[in-house]
Each structure stands twice: as C-alpha cells, then as structure tokens.
Amino acid sequence: MQLDKNPFFRKTITPWYDSNFACWTLITILFFVVVFAIAGVFVGSDNPAFQEHVWFPGFLAFLSLFLVIKIFLRLKNRSKND
C-alpha cells in the first residue's frame, strides 16, 4: 500500500512555545525589558560613577529589540503563509 500523497491534515502543528499567544506574550515582556534597559541607560549616564557601565543596559536594549523584531517577523511570515 502506497503512502497517501494527499493527506487529510495539511496544516502544520506548531509547538506551544511557538504559538501566536506565546509569541505575543514574549514580545510584550521584551518590550518592557527594552523600556527598563533604556531607563538604565539614562540613569547610568547621569551618574559619573556608572558611566563606564552604560554599555550593559544598552546592549540589553539592543538584544531585546532584536528579538522583538525577529519574533514579529516570524509572526508576520506565518500569517502571510496561512
């Protein structure tokens, strides 16, 4: 018996951690991390003792924003393919 070339279920099953709800929740949390990191950059820039450590919240903001963009593009491509 040959395998069915035209299966009944065609839609791929996404895991729970890659569902739309999980992605939007992660985008929301990462947005708050970006805001927190930008506040850290402003606070660190005002205090001369912390100015050499401003790179850390700046890097945290960059990485969080990068992940927000990547997850948003994944959601956009997924909705475009459906």
Side-chain angles (χ1 to χ4, degrees):
M1 182 175 190
Q2 291 182 340
L3 293 175
D4 191 13
K5 299 287 184 192
N6 193 4
F8 184 73
F9 299 104
R10 292 185 186 180
K11 192 171 185 178
T12 59
I13 299 172
T14 58
W16 67 269
Y17 52 83
D18 199 24
S19 65
N20 289 342
F21 177 74
C23 287
W24 282 113
T25 305
L26 192 58
I27 286 174
T28 304
I29 291 170
L30 286 173
F31 176 74
F32 286 121
V33 171
V34 169
V35 171
F36 179 72
I38 291 173
V41 168
F42 285 132
V43 170
S45 298
D46 289 342
N47 193 341
F50 296 144
Q51 284 182 351
E52 64 186 35
H53 303 291
V54 171
W55 67 270
F56 187 77
F59 189 60
L60 180 66
F62 169 74
L63 288 178
S64 299
L65 194 60
F66 177 74
L67 283 176
V68 165
I69 292 170
K70 291 282 287 184
I71 294 170
F72 181 74
L73 289 176
R74 177 185 298 171
L75 286 172
K76 185 177 174 184
N77 287 338
R78 186 185 304 155
S79 67
K80 188 169 90 172
N81 290 337
D82 285 340

